[in-house]
Amino acid sequence: MVAGLKIVIVGSGPAGMYAAGAIVKKNPESVIDIVDKLATPYGLVRAGVAPDHQTTKNVTRAYDKVMENDNVRFVGNIGLGDDIPLDKLRDLYDVVIIATGTPKDRNLGIPGEDKDGVFGAQTFVYWYNGHPEYRDAVPNLDITTAVVIGNGNVALDAARILMRTEEEMAHSDLADHAATEIFNSPLQSVHVVGRRAPENAQFSSKELSEFGDLTSAKTYTDKTNLPEEFISEDKKETKVVNTNLDLLRSFEQIGPGIKGRSVHLDFLASPIEVMGDTSITGVRFERNEIVDGKAVGTGETYDIDCQLLVSCIGYEMGILEGLPVEKGIVKNDEGCIADGLYVVGWAKRGPSGTIGTNRIDSQNVVDRILGDFDTGGNPDKAGPAGLDQWCQDRNIRAVSFDDWKKINAAEIDRAGDQSPRRKFVRTRDMLSLLKEGS
């Protein structure tokens, strides 16, 4: 058994929580601080999972159990870089684990994407989920047409949330400010456009099936683009793709003269220009064909007039002081960045897989850490006491897990009978609540 280590995990999302859980199980003598820049834990589960997918959020019950261990602390409202530098964390702890995810949208790389009305998926999703840093990144939803780029679940989330009615979202935790904009919007149509063919789309069948249940909008696609059958050497892939193709066949055939609210699932097209002066007025697309398994432009173009564009083409790691970033992730060797410095989750491997994918990934990195520290840690490291002193000296108000329980209870109390919670969307309001209750 490795002697107890002093470990700090930066980020309390799924990857960080699974890492903490693995350490508790495999090296219960260690002490673990889970540091997060937000006053609320669980990262992507709170800020990324769609507000109408409450079942997915139940995973936090397992994370709560990890947090209840005596050797685990949540230390919220402390940002890496802004409040404490990475070098200081490395001085205080035997092990630093980076679990920040990939908090930067990939650029489309086309002219005009800097115009007003163009948003990356992270900005848009964090806005409607009530992330404090994106509370005021309000898109103008006094619009009639929106375009969503991408053929993954995030693209479907964005389109679905835009077209849900207030009644459909009654049991969600959609942030109040976003609900006001969405439900009062005159939006009539959303185009979800992917560059590859329908059989290459990365969305899940469950996500796709929800478009058949929208109460105020019909879903359309071009069924002439659908292959009769998809066959792969991977039986699981074959089943998923053919289920998706059957769902696409169940939607309406797109055609001229569509009236009423509508969602258009379009394939084989790539955006090449965002049109307009300072604000978006439309998007120009080039039609594609599949050549040797790749989407290749044909030279034929068409335009979609719109006033909102949400780009859902993936995420990457931004520049963070002290971390080597390469090809959108933190450069690492099976999770090891440098002596005593490790990375897990999307920051390690890129934005892929589901929430559960992070479990095995984090467990493997923990095994690597315990192997690297088989002789134990440095008894001279200050660990949690050193972090507390750092915060005290700089008047940083850290948020504990008990503090989070108070915030959580208040959000639930505010919600009423139907919604699971009514979120606080400003950190200052959360801290004021804690001050009042102290």
Side-chain angles (χ1 to χ4, degrees), residues 47-186:
V49 173
D52 57 344
H53 283 177
Q54 289 298 309
T55 301
T56 304
K57 300 190 181 194
N58 288 338
V59 70
T60 59
R61 295 172 184 171
Y63 303 159
D64 286 344
K65 292 180 180 179
V66 174
M67 287 292 194
E68 295 290 356
N69 284 276
D70 291 338
N71 59 331
V72 179
R73 293 197 311 172
F74 175 66
V75 192
N77 199 39
I78 298 180
L80 178 62
D82 293 332
D83 295 312
I84 187 167
L86 179 59
D87 286 347
K88 184 61 181 180
L89 287 178
R90 297 183 71 182
D91 287 342
L92 293 175
Y93 296 86
D94 297 307
V95 175
V96 178
I97 302 175
I98 302 298
T100 57
T102 47
K104 181 178 180 293
D105 286 302
R106 287 179 181 157
N107 293 327
L108 286 167
I110 62 175
E113 67 176 309
D114 58 344
K115 297 184 188 302
D116 292 341
V118 179
F119 296 87
Q122 178 177 264
T123 300
F124 194 71
V125 171
Y126 281 2
W127 169 73
Y128 67 60
N129 268 328
H131 189 299
E133 295 178 355
Y134 294 82
R135 163 60 180 85
D136 298 317
V138 181
N140 174 17
L141 293 188
D142 185 18
I143 61 174
T144 59
T145 307
V147 168
V148 179
I149 305 295
N151 267 164
N153 286 340
V154 176
L156 294 188
D157 283 345
R160 188 184 67 256
I161 298 304
L162 280 170
M163 297 303 278
R164 287 279 203 202
T165 64
E166 186 170 0
E167 291 72 24
E168 287 176 294
M169 296 297 287
H171 298 281
S172 78
D173 60 354
L174 179 68
D176 287 352
H177 61 272
T180 298
E181 293 291 330
I182 291 170
F183 300 145
N184 291 325
S185 171

Side-chain angles (χ1 to χ4, degrees), residues 297-343:
T298 63
E300 180 184 355
T301 64
Y302 70 97
D303 298 342
I304 297 178
D305 294 336
C306 64
Q307 303 84 41
L308 172 70
L309 171 64
V310 182
S311 173
C312 305
I313 61 170
Y315 311 97
E316 60 188 9
M317 190 74 188
I319 301 300
L320 195 57
E321 184 181 357
L323 292 175
V325 177
E326 187 176 275
K327 297 181 179 179
I329 62 173
V330 179
K331 189 177 180 180
N332 68 93
D333 175 18
E334 297 181 345
C336 182
I337 305 169
D339 290 344
L341 182 60
Y342 300 84
V343 60

